[in-house]
Amino acid sequence: MDNQTTYSQEIMDTMEQIKALKEEKNALIMAHYYVPDEVQDIADEIGDSFFLARKATETDADIIVLCGVQFMGESAKILNPNKKVLIPAINADCPMAHMCTVERIEEVRGEYPDAAVVCYVNSTAELKAHSDVCVTSANALNIVQKLPNKDIYFIPDQNLAHYIADQLPDKHFIFNDGFCHVHHSITKSQLEAAKAAKPEALVCVHPECRPEITAMADYVGSTSGIIQFVDGSDAKEFIIATEMGVLHSLKTKHPDKKFYTAGNMQLCPNMKKVSLERVLEALQTEKPEVTLDTEVMDAARMPMERMLELA
Ligand code: 13P
Ligand code: SF4
């Protein structure tokens, strides 16, 4: 554990039990930055969606415990079909993952036969299975610009799509109307108020935010990107426009810097369903396990692997 947080004896006991079971079962605990602090602190690997997907392909653990939402567990399983992937909070589902349909993909393919269907990993396995390439917020720009296709149908997130489209004027984007309720809820007036209150602070924004929010940023990037930006900056104050869980790593790494949020709703209720108790129970029972239809899983692997190759 590399932080200064002081936990109660009860929490420490649960952490010890998790550590012992993890060793015994040769399990790897992976966590996204948005899960509760204490879950981040027992993780072997913590990172953004891209880091977690890539790391999942590199482990020789027998069990992967994915502390995040369903699509993250599914991504790990798609890339490691023969491994046991546990997802402690099976009901932690990202609403945005469902904000497109296979019917709509087929409709767009009919209209634009040369289009590449680019699927943000925050999506169901079924949507991935009908896509040409997956991307995360860390590599979307890089990957889309490498694609030979001019027509790009980007699903499900409209905000990430617009952020990339603005930087790739030679491409023709077909947008989808999905969004992340956490990032989409941050408003221009909230960010303006945060900036007025802390005029020295640099503004770090996740590209799932609305275009008027990314336009006000000093830095735009994935959760890991934001942390790296702060690591390399001499500034002392930062306004962070992404889910609040990122503040745990930021404050731990930079006790001398100050961090503020932009809005007051920067909390993902699904990520917060992952608790220490649920991680312990998952290790004890080896459930809930991510299971996917073999055909869907095989079809979803191609766009995921293409992402790993192109990134
Ligand atoms: P990244 O992990 O790519 O920063 O995405 C954030 C997110 O919304 C995950 O749910
Ligand atoms: Fe989904 Fe947004 Fe929560 Fe990420 S932060 S899991 S995109 S709702």
Side-chain angles (χ1 to χ4, degrees):
M1 198 194 313
D2 90 315
N3 81 57
Q4 277 80 55
T5 312
T6 312
Y7 291 117
S8 69
Q9 193 54 48
E10 197 184 345
I11 290 178
M12 296 295 284
D13 288 347
T14 310
M15 287 173 152
E16 287 310 317
Q17 288 182 66
I18 290 172
K19 276 186 206 158
L21 258 182
K22 173 185 92 173
E23 299 296 323
E24 190 188 311
K25 299 202 171 189
N26 188 28
L28 180 79
I29 302 182
M30 305 176 84
H32 190 271
Y33 289 115
Y34 295 165
V35 298
D37 298 356
E38 61 279 12
V39 178
Q40 295 187 39
D41 287 339
I42 42 98
D44 300 300
E45 302 285 356
I46 169 163
D48 67 3
S49 305
F50 180 58
F51 175 88
L52 296 177
R54 207 190 46 207
K55 272 281 164 197
T57 66
E58 294 169 359
T59 178
D60 54 10
D62 295 316
I63 298 176
I64 295 174
V65 183
L66 207 308
C67 301
V69 287
Q70 272 176 26
F71 75 79
M72 295 178 169
E74 289 179 1
S75 297
K77 183 70 185 176
I78 290 165
L79 292 167
N80 296 277
N82 300 322
K83 274 202 202 303
K84 188 174 267 190
V85 179
L86 304 177
I87 176 140
I90 195 71
N91 61 346
D93 195 6
C94 168
M96 180 163 68
H98 303 269
M99 290 185 188
C100 188
T101 61
V102 171
E103 291 70 33
R104 179 65 190 137
I105 295 176
E106 296 313 329
E107 205 174 282
V108 172
R109 283 200 193 277
E111 215 175 318
Y112 300 92
D114 298 326
V117 178
V118 178
C119 186
Y120 191 26
V121 284
N122 301 37
S123 54
T124 61
E126 199 193 14
L127 290 175
K128 289 183 177 82
H130 287 82
S131 301
D132 297 309
V133 64
C134 287
V135 296
T136 75
S137 62
N139 58 37
L141 178 65
N142 179 21
I143 289 179
V144 174
Q145 72 186 350
K146 281 182 184 162
L147 295 177
N149 319 59
K150 183 172 170 63
D151 294 329
I152 304 291
Y153 179 37
F154 194 103
I155 60 167
D157 187 23
Q158 57 180 282
N159 290 328
L160 179 59
H162 279 284
Y163 176 67
I164 302 162
D166 286 350
Q167 296 170 76
L168 300 173
D170 293 341
K171 301 274 186 196
H172 168 246
F173 273 70
I174 302 113
F175 296 99
N176 179 69
D177 57 9
F179 62 92
C180 159
H181 68 98
V182 181
H183 293 87
H184 204 66
S185 72
I186 300 171
T187 64
K188 191 175 177 196
S189 55
Q190 283 174 331
L191 185 51
E192 280 169 350
K195 279 183 76 150
K198 302 291 171 193
E200 302 296 317
L202 296 184
V203 178
C204 302
V205 173
H206 195 281
E208 285 176 19
C209 290
R210 293 167 187 265
E212 63 262 35
I213 304 298
T214 50
M216 291 168 74
D218 294 292
Y219 175 78
V220 180
S222 74
T223 46
S224 295
I226 289 174
I227 293 170
Q228 281 160 20
F229 173 75
V230 171
D231 290 348
S233 171
D234 292 333
K236 291 281 172 232
E237 295 183 283
F238 300 85
I239 296 167
I240 305 294
T242 189
E243 212 275 353
M244 287 175 64
V246 170
L247 297 181
H248 181 54
S249 277
L250 288 171
K251 287 178 178 171
T252 304
K253 290 177 91 176
H254 302 286
D256 56 322
K257 298 186 192 249
K258 289 203 156 48
F259 301 97
Y260 313 101
T261 55
N264 50 13
M265 299 279 287
Q266 290 174 220
L267 212 127
C268 176
N270 282 292
M271 287 285 191
K272 302 307 182 216
K273 287 177 186 167
V274 188
S275 63
L276 278 186
E277 290 70 25
R278 283 180 156 165
V279 175
L280 179 59
E281 203 180 315
L283 278 166
Q284 284 165 337
T285 61
E286 298 190 18
K287 285 192 185 83
E289 187 178 351
V290 178
T291 51
L292 287 166
D293 177 86
T294 315
E295 222 171 281
V296 172
M297 192 158 57
D298 289 346
R301 192 167 308 114
M302 187 282 290
M304 288 290 289
E305 286 181 346
R306 198 166 172 210
M307 170 181 80
L308 297 177
E309 277 158 31
L310 289 172

